[in-house]
Every structure is written in structure tokens, then in C-alpha cells.
Amino acid sequence: MNQILGKDAFSKPIFGEKMRQQFALCYPEQPQLLDHDMSTNALLSLDALARLGTALPKASVEYNPGDLPVGIDPNDVPDNGMSIADTILMIENSASWAVLKNIEQVPEYQALLLSLLAEIKPILENKTGKMLRPQGFIFVSSPGAMTPYHFDPEHNILLQLRGEKTMTVFPAGDERFAPAKAHESYHTGGPRNLVWEDGFADQGKAFHLNPGKAIFVPVMAPHFVRNGSQPSISLSITWRSDWSFAEADAHAFNHMLRGWGLNPKAPGRFPERNSAKAISWRALRKLHLVK
């Protein structure tokens, strides 16, 4: 990246004391609307993001038409026929949705990500232990774009920077909204998009996001996102914990058990540790008996 930052680029706190108190109360299991003070940043302009999208490995860039339904076949997500740079630069009219994944692969963006996480690190580590695998994602969306119903394996705070969007979040760990088999499939290499049912519509909680607002989303909480009437830019700062990895490995272990004809109990949500199944799965993987 040909981006030059001043020495004070990351010196101003983004999360105030009120936000940190709110985060301490909701983390790690309750979705919560938060405040942030992320002002204009040269790294997050459309020109800079177009360059970032071109610089990132192909596997770290995903972009699709924005007029997708809330529920979509996980194996049938189309592309939009444009380059990532053109998708971003023409986001107002490209009717698309784009995500730049693992922005920490670029040093300037890694510094931005780590500076934000440093502000909440003592709070999160007090509850779920060491902050692991910090990752950043940037979402650029056209007016009215839809991000279909899905879940994510990370603890996540999404900061809205430009435009408006509404994220509808469903309870994590509730099999009505994400069956055990969907978790098991995802943690053994399957897609993150979920099967949508029209009866879900009134069961989620809608959070309206505009610049200056953020939302904490618990690990594997199903959600979908609808953009407002203007182009949107959002920054997602994420991390993992020993607990989240144990839950993931327990789901993978259950996938194996289900393949043997068993009907295993789903992993427990926080603060349950899921240690036995996680350790067993890791041992099998270390012995190369499973992938």
C-alpha cells in the first residue's frame, strides 16, 4: 500500500468509558449497540479500499451482487461480474456487497486493528482469557444491499463508518435458528450461510447502525444485514478465545460422532468449556486421523 500515516494516526481513543462499560456487561454472549468515535481515516476511503482489495490475496476478497435474498443456497452465491476495485469505486451504483478479509495482512491496517483491540483487550481477557487471532474485515455495500443470513466464528465488533444499515441478530446457540448440523458442517469446512425460514422474521432483534454506532455480535450468533439508502462502509474487528476454539472443536467432534450414527449433545455456550470433546478432536487431528 502506498498509504502514509501521520505519527498520531492511532493515538486518539476510539472507544469511550461508557462504551467500555457497556461492552463489559454484554460480553461475550449478548448482542449490544455501542458507541465509537472513529473519525475520518485515510485508510478507509473508497480509493484506499479499492487499492487494498487489489493488494489482498484473492482468497481474502469476496464480492457479490447486493440484491440477494435474506436466505440463499449456501453453495450458490453468484459474483457480480466486476473487479473488486471497480466494485468498491462504483459502490453507489454497482448494486454490490464486498468484504475485504484479514486486512491485518497489510501492515497499516494491522496497526489500525490492533490499536482498536488494545482499548478493550483488558475487558475481554478478564472474561474469556487471552485474545487470540485478531482479524479485521471491511464491508463496502451499495444502497439497499443485503448480506444474507449467516453466522461467524469470531467475537466481533462492527463499527459503522459511512451510511446506515440494520443488522438483525438471532440468539446464539438456539437450534431453531442454526441447527447443530449447520454448526458441525461449518466447523468441518462447510459454508457459513444458513437456511432461512420466513417464520424467523419476527424472532430476531434489529439494530440500526449509523456513523458513530457499533454492534457487538456474539460468536456464531445468526444474523443478516440490510443496507440503507446510501453506500455503506463498516469495519469489523474480531478475535478468538480459548472458549470459542473449544466450542468449534466440539462441534467438529460431534460431526464425527453423527457420522457414526450417534446423536451427540450440542456444545454448551459460555461459560461451559467443552473441554472433553475439544481435546479429543485435537488429539485425533494431531494423529492425522481426521482433517
Side-chain angles (χ1 to χ4, degrees), residues 267-285:
R269 294 294 297 181
F270 186 86
E272 292 189 42
R273 309 308 295 183
N274 301 303
S275 299
K277 288 181 177 179
I279 291 171
S280 298
W281 180 254
R282 292 167 189 174
L284 292 170
R285 195 166 52 199

Side-chain angles (χ1 to χ4, degrees), residues 23 26-30 113 117 120 124-125 127-137 151-158 172 192 215-221 223 235-247 269-270 273:
F23 177 67
C26 74
Y27 183 74
E29 282 289 80
Q30 298 300 320
L113 170 67
L117 288 174
I120 57 171
L124 66 90
E125 290 194 336
K127 290 197 174 183
T128 56
K130 186 176 180 181
M131 184 182 75
L132 303 171
R133 198 177 291 181
Q135 296 176 315
F137 304 82
F151 52 22
D152 300 302
E154 306 92 359
H155 306 280
N156 173 26
I157 295 177
L158 180 80
R192 69 182 63 208
I215 182 173
F216 167 68
V217 184
V219 170
M220 304 304 282
H223 58 281
L235 169 63
S236 182
I237 60 173
T238 78
W239 63 97
R240 299 293 297 272
S241 63
D242 285 334
W243 171 76
S244 73
F245 278 120
E247 185 198 35
R269 294 294 297 181
F270 186 86
R273 309 308 295 183

Side-chain angles (χ1 to χ4, degrees), residues 4-171:
I4 299 175
L5 299 176
K7 65 180 180 180
D8 297 325
F10 307 129
S11 61
K12 181 182 177 182
I14 299 302
F15 301 128
E17 181 59 29
K18 179 182 177 182
M19 178 275 181
R20 288 191 290 271
Q21 291 175 359
Q22 292 173 326
F23 177 67
L25 291 173
C26 74
Y27 183 74
E29 282 289 80
Q30 298 300 320
Q32 175 67 51
L33 202 63
L34 305 167
D35 297 310
H36 71 83
D37 192 27
M38 171 74 87
S39 58
T40 302
N41 187 302
L43 288 175
L44 301 171
S45 70
L46 289 179
D47 285 344
L49 295 179
R51 293 195 296 270
L52 175 62
T54 302
L56 286 170
K58 186 176 181 180
S60 298
V61 176
E62 179 182 351
Y63 50 108
N64 309 117
D67 56 349
L68 299 175
V70 61
I72 189 169
D73 184 335
N75 299 304
D76 190 27
V77 181
D79 62 39
N80 67 357
M82 303 171 65
S83 71
I84 182 59
D86 285 343
T87 297
I88 291 173
L89 290 173
M90 298 189 295
I91 197 64
E92 185 166 0
N93 300 305
S94 63
S96 297
W97 168 89
V99 56
L100 308 180
K101 306 176 184 179
N102 300 117
I103 62 173
E104 68 280 357
Q105 296 174 89
V106 176
E108 294 91 339
Y109 289 88
Q110 180 186 51
L112 174 62
L113 170 67
L114 295 180
S115 72
L116 293 171
L117 288 174
E119 296 187 33
I120 57 171
K121 185 176 179 180
I123 298 171
L124 66 90
E125 290 194 336
N126 184 54
K127 290 197 174 183
T128 56
K130 186 176 180 181
M131 184 182 75
L132 303 171
R133 198 177 291 181
Q135 296 176 315
F137 304 82
I138 296 174
F139 299 88
V140 185
S141 308
S142 294
M146 170 69 77
T147 304
Y149 187 56
H150 70 285
F151 52 22
D152 300 302
E154 306 92 359
H155 306 280
N156 173 26
I157 295 177
L158 180 80
L159 294 83
Q160 188 67 15
L161 305 174
R162 173 182 172 181
E164 299 182 8
K165 61 175 53 172
T166 299
M167 178 185 289
T168 302
V169 184
F170 297 79

